[in-house]
Amino acid sequence: MSYTSHEKQGTSSPVVHVAEVREEEGDGTGDAASATSDNAALAALGYKQEFKRAFNPIEVFGLGFSIIGLFPSIASVLVFAIPNGGPVALVWGWALCSFFLMFVALALAELGSAAPTSGGLYYWTWMFATPRWRKVLSWVVGYSNSMGLIAGLASIEWGCAVQLMAAVSIGKNESFTPTTGQTFAVYAALLVCHGFVSSLATSVVARLQGIFVALNLLLCLAIIIALPASTPDEFKNTASYAFGGFENYNGWPNGFAFVLSFLAPLWTIGGFDASVHISEEASNARTAVPWAIISAVGIAGVLGWAMNVVIAFCMGTDLESILENPIGQPMATILFNSFGRNGTLAVWSIVVFVQFLMGSSILTAASRQMFAFARDKGLPFSPFIYRVNERTRTPVNAVWVSAFVALILGLLAFAGPSANSAIFSLAIAGQYTAFSIPIAIRFLGGQNWTPGPFTLGRFGLPVAVVAVAWMVFSVIILAFPTSPGPTADGMNYMVVVYGGWIILCLIYYHIPVYGGACWFNGPQMTLDGDGVSATYPGGPSVDEGSRFSGSDEKRDV
């Protein structure tokens, strides 16, 4: 493997000339050859290898799939689907969203194959945007992606805390009603536990993914088989009701209520960019990352639809009693009606544990995004966040900073249920902002495009158009309140939180002298020596001024 670079005479900064990075014949086979190729791919993006590549392709898939979580996630957001369509929302809302989310997955997979780096989305934005816009757009995408992942962490942890409290309520014959303070205390404890898990060595975190996938799949199959077998006849529904029954409790017109139910599948099948964020810890990343994204979304769409159909057949027709039950968790109530107290506690303990695993996985992904953005000096206290623990080879500081920000975000729960639901919407809005910009900029920025091993070819543009249109539509509907004509308590605070985050990051960018516009220069080369970049066969090429220029002037690359 060879690199070439030299200093331009009369300048102090290195000027990089591209050399081909290739695997030499006889360099090795198997894992060694794969690592060589992966490190060369990362070098072509300007970064040195700092993590241990311990994730195999199945474990890369496992991280994204475990974040989706399926049944625990469906349980967490069932409260948004039942009052906005009932069975129709569960069955057909899920199917519709799954179809369009596959377009998003395909567009991200193509980008992930071309340039697999932990920074992912903001890096691609810088790579393909015009010199005039790359700094501010990369900045916004970096903060939106960080916000989306941390809000996703907060919503998963809050869902797990609510599920734990529901188990206590079931165990105490529904006589226990938790306060917001008690739920928040459990939420904080979960964040601390996940901070320790996500700080473990990369190899340990990677091996855990196999367990996570197995538990997720077994839980899904158990629900699909056991729930119909155990449900009493009084709670079993006809096919006409399961596939066509419509319930609307919030006052919106039926069609719009159905659209608002999309929050449930959109939040459940989310966070699938996690595979991108661990690409620097994955073997054969340029192939493993895209297929992990596509597989996670595809399997979640099919299995999730099957579970929603089962739920629609087994939840009875008195949906209002499910929503108002003292247990305080609709899915737990449905299981209680089918399995009884002891059976529900047994199943629910597995649900809570799988939800717990989701939290550790998304904190892992969020910490890698924070680490990458700090590596490129995009965050406050970047030198502190951009550190790799010498013993574990993981970004421990980034893990705990992510957990702390999620803890602060969780304080929204004290503003009431509407503010709490804003955390769920915020996770989707942040992700979709971060997804949409690089997908669109790839075609609008006018930069050269060299695909990776996974490519959509001539279908790339129509897939991107559908993906971006769907995400814009989704963010708009997520801004609406639960009911028309809301009071202050019933407002949807997602716009306030999301808009406030974006406004603050733009203010921080434009502050004179101290703002990001003065010092943020996009991806920073971290290779040892004089500074090296490269191209590799089939990988992205370094176009003149395409990435490492910090202003409108082009650097000679």
Side-chain angles (χ1 to χ4, degrees):
M1 183 184 300
S2 61
Y3 306 97
T4 61
S5 72
H6 67 269
E7 300 267 344
K8 187 175 180 179
Q9 293 182 356
T11 64
S12 58
S13 60
V15 177
V16 182
H17 290 263
V18 178
E20 181 176 284
V21 178
R22 63 187 183 277
E23 254 182 78
E24 303 289 353
E25 292 184 13
D27 229 8
T29 58
D31 293 341
S34 176
T36 300
S37 177
D38 286 322
N39 293 347
L42 188 60
L45 304 180
Y47 298 125
K48 66 181 178 182
Q49 185 66 45
E50 297 185 78
F51 297 128
K52 181 180 179 181
R53 290 193 178 271
F55 281 78
N56 63 41
I58 296 297
E59 292 160 348
V60 176
F61 157 77
L63 187 80
F65 188 70
S66 64
I67 289 174
I68 292 173
L70 273 188
F71 186 70
S73 293
I74 291 172
S76 294
V77 292
L78 197 63
V79 67
F80 300 114
I82 288 179
N84 289 306
V88 166
L90 288 173
V91 176
W92 303 117
W94 183 279
L96 184 65
C97 289
S98 297
F99 174 77
F100 284 106
L101 284 170
M102 183 54 71
F103 285 86
V104 181
L106 288 168
L108 287 179
E110 189 174 37
L111 287 166
S113 182
T117 173
S118 295
L121 302 160
Y122 78 83
Y123 184 97
W124 303 334
T125 301
W126 181 279
M127 185 175 182
F128 296 115
T130 62
R132 179 180 179 183
W133 292 105
R134 62 165 54 107
K135 283 182 67 172
V136 66
L137 287 178
S138 184
W139 177 273
V140 168
V141 168
Y143 275 93
S144 295
N145 196 196
S146 302
M147 173 183 64
L149 287 167
I150 292 174
L153 169 64
S155 55
I156 286 173
E157 301 288 43
W158 189 262
C160 189
V162 171
Q163 289 169 1
L164 277 168
M165 290 305 190
V168 175
S169 179
I170 294 170
K172 293 193 172 185
N173 298 317
E174 297 84 60
S175 62
F176 171 73
T177 302
T179 65
T180 300
Q182 290 170 329
T183 306
F184 183 81
V186 174
Y187 169 84
L190 289 169
L191 281 171
V192 173
C193 290
H194 287 139
F196 284 111
V197 173
S198 297
S199 298
L200 295 173
T202 301
S203 57
V204 176
V205 175
R207 298 299 89 80
L208 287 173
Q209 304 312 312
I211 300 173
F212 296 176
V213 171
L215 284 174
N216 265 293
L217 292 176
L218 288 173
L219 179 59
C220 292
L221 293 175
I223 294 298
I224 291 171
I225 295 170
L227 190 60
S230 303
T231 301
D233 290 341
E234 62 185 291
F235 292 110
K236 288 183 177 178
N237 295 324
T238 63
S240 61
Y241 183 79
F243 289 104
F246 195 93
E247 304 287 348
N248 182 358
Y249 296 118
N250 288 332
W252 289 106
N254 286 349
F256 193 68
F258 173 71
V259 170
L260 291 181
S261 74
F262 291 175
L263 173 58
L266 292 178
W267 184 84
T268 300
I269 310 179
F272 46 84
D273 62 318
S275 302
V276 173
H277 298 302
I278 60 159
S279 58
E280 294 179 28
E281 298 164 78
S283 59
N284 197 19
R286 298 172 65 229
T287 300
V289 167
W291 286 111
I293 294 171
I294 295 168
S295 300
V297 174
I299 294 173
V302 173
L303 266 181
W305 186 82
M307 281 193 294
N308 276 293
V309 169
V310 168
I311 294 168
F313 269 101
C314 301
M315 65 182 179
T317 57
D318 188 4
L319 303 188
E320 201 163 358
S321 68
I322 293 174
L323 295 170
E324 297 176 356
N325 192 281
I327 292 175
Q329 219 289 344
M331 192 68 244
T333 302
I334 293 171
L335 295 179
F336 184 83
N337 292 338
S338 297
F339 296 127
R341 176 170 286 103
N342 293 335
T344 298
L345 285 173
V347 173
W348 201 245
S349 63
I350 301 172
V351 172
V352 173
F353 182 63
V354 174
Q355 179 94 357
F356 177 85
L357 301 181
M358 291 168 58
S360 65
S361 294
I362 196 167
L363 179 53
T364 298
S367 66
R368 273 47 173 186
Q369 158 62 21
M370 294 284 280
F371 170 87
F373 205 31
R375 175 174 61 188
D376 293 325
K377 300 178 174 61
L379 293 171
F381 311 109
S382 285
F384 173 77
I385 299 171
Y386 171 46
R387 290 182 185 175
V388 177
N389 184 277
E390 293 182 0
R391 182 175 180 180
T392 65
R393 297 287 298 276
T394 54
V396 172
N397 290 6
V399 168
W400 288 104
V401 168
S402 301
F404 176 76
V405 176
L407 181 70
I408 300 302
L409 193 58
L411 293 173
L412 279 172
F414 290 97
S418 295
N420 188 37
S421 67
I423 300 175
F424 288 82
S425 299
L426 182 63
I428 303 170
Q431 284 183 45
Y432 286 1
T433 301
F435 291 178
S436 297
I437 292 175
I439 291 173
I441 287 296
R442 178 205 147 180
F443 295 96
L444 299 175
Q447 304 296 326
N448 289 342
W449 163 255
T450 303
F454 175 83
T455 177
L456 298 173
R458 59 195 178 103
F459 294 105
L461 178 58
V463 166
V465 170
V466 174
V468 172
W470 173 253
M471 289 187 285
V472 171
F473 168 74
S474 298
V475 171
I476 292 172
I477 65 172
L478 292 174
F480 281 83
T482 303
S483 303
T487 63
D489 290 337
M491 280 295 294
N492 185 340
Y493 290 94
M494 186 274 286
V495 174
V496 177
V497 179
Y498 171 67
W501 184 290
I502 296 296
I503 289 170
L504 284 174
C505 89
L506 287 174
I507 290 174
Y508 183 36
Y509 180 80
H510 288 291
I511 292 175
V513 181
Y514 299 104
C518 302
W519 45 262
F520 178 65
N521 293 313
Q524 305 291 302
M525 289 188 294
T526 62
L527 291 167
D528 295 328
D530 293 330
V532 183
S533 188
T535 60
Y536 51 94
S541 60
V542 182
D543 192 29
E544 181 178 357
S546 63
R547 287 173 301 192
F548 297 110
S549 57
S551 65
D552 289 351
E553 292 183 5
K554 296 181 179 179
R555 176 179 278 182
D556 179 21
V557 180

